[in-house]
Amino acid sequence: METDSFFCQLFKQLPETLFQLIGLPGERARAYRFDSVEVKKPLRIDGLFLPNSDDLPLYFLEVQFQRSAKFYANLFAKVFSFLEENDPGQDWRAVAIFENRRMEPKRRDGYQELLGSARVTRIYLDEYAVPPNPPLGLGILGLMKVPKSDVSTLVDELFHKAENQITDSVPRETVIELVEGLLLR
């Protein structure tokens, strides 16, 4: 899915975006290595933040822009399959990013305990309040919901941030490509 590759690139290039999105300091990303991991042939995790230290949890990331009644079954199958294959005692968190609430499965009865726990964070991008003067990654996500009349202003701000905040030319070009790719979609 195109959105999966976009989000994979976004979180790979700007890993602090995940932590900012769930209300944690972006600096926390320095303690993680981001990867997209195949657990078993049919199970591919959209993103996995692997901690550099045993006292930090794994972060599983799934992005959903299409309705799927099996989304949570699939998400938790990936989480528990990964834990079984690697370290069943590892602490973990799951972050589910939905385009909007309509993309979330309506039937969640079998997952309520997990969904109501601190282990799972659900984010609906159309409801996410992008902070004023957002960090680069959150600004890019803000493009998904900004009114068309404000797009060019936000794009200019993002390109300005990319030019001034990123010193390595390859990531700066990648950020610009992410913005352009999102605009084309």
Side-chain angles (χ1 to χ4, degrees):
M1 179 191 297
E2 285 184 25
T3 54
D4 288 352
S5 64
F6 166 77
F7 279 96
C8 185
Q9 285 303 310
L10 174 67
F11 291 117
K12 188 173 197 158
Q13 297 302 323
L14 299 166
E16 65 275 8
T17 303
L18 172 76
F19 297 97
Q20 293 164 340
L21 192 60
I22 61 175
L24 296 173
E27 297 79 42
R28 191 161 195 171
R30 288 189 219 128
Y32 287 85
R33 174 179 53 90
F34 175 77
D35 203 353
S36 180
V37 177
E38 190 169 303
V39 177
K40 292 184 179 180
K41 277 283 187 218
L43 297 177
R44 175 162 280 288
I45 300 167
D46 287 349
L48 179 62
F49 282 80
L50 297 157
N52 298 328
S53 168
D54 290 340
D55 60 334
L56 294 171
L58 293 163
Y59 279 90
F60 294 88
L61 173 66
E62 286 294 319
V63 178
Q64 192 66 21
F65 273 52
Q66 295 178 354
R67 188 176 295 185
S68 170
K70 297 179 181 181
F71 175 79
Y72 287 121
N74 185 277
L75 169 64
F76 295 123
K78 292 173 185 180
V79 168
F80 295 120
S81 292
F82 181 88
L83 293 173
E84 177 189 29
E85 288 179 20
N86 294 277
D87 180 0
Q90 175 73 48
D91 193 14
W92 62 274
R93 303 288 184 273
V95 179
I97 299 175
F98 296 97
E99 179 181 18
N100 54 52
R101 286 186 188 271
R102 292 184 312 275
M103 297 302 119
E104 185 176 27
K106 294 196 184 313
R107 297 197 59 201
R108 302 183 286 266
D109 297 344
Y111 311 102
Q112 280 306 100
E113 287 80 11
L114 283 169
L115 295 176
S117 75
R119 291 204 179 277
V120 179
T121 301
R122 295 177 285 177
I123 295 171
Y124 311 97
L125 289 176
D126 66 330
E127 297 175 15
Y128 183 74
V130 178
N133 193 25
L136 194 54
L138 293 182
I140 292 171
L141 289 177
L143 278 173
M144 295 182 145
K145 61 184 265 180
V146 71
K148 288 183 180 181
S149 60
D150 296 339
V151 167
S152 64
T153 303
L154 183 54
V155 167
D156 289 342
E157 290 173 13
L158 292 171
F159 285 167
H160 180 72
K161 279 185 182 181
E163 290 173 2
N164 293 320
Q165 293 178 3
I166 300 174
T167 56
D168 185 355
S169 63
V170 174
R172 181 180 17 224
E173 291 170 4
T174 302
V175 168
I176 291 170
E177 288 172 10
L178 280 169
V179 170
E180 289 173 346
L182 183 60
L183 291 172
L184 290 173
R185 286 191 186 100

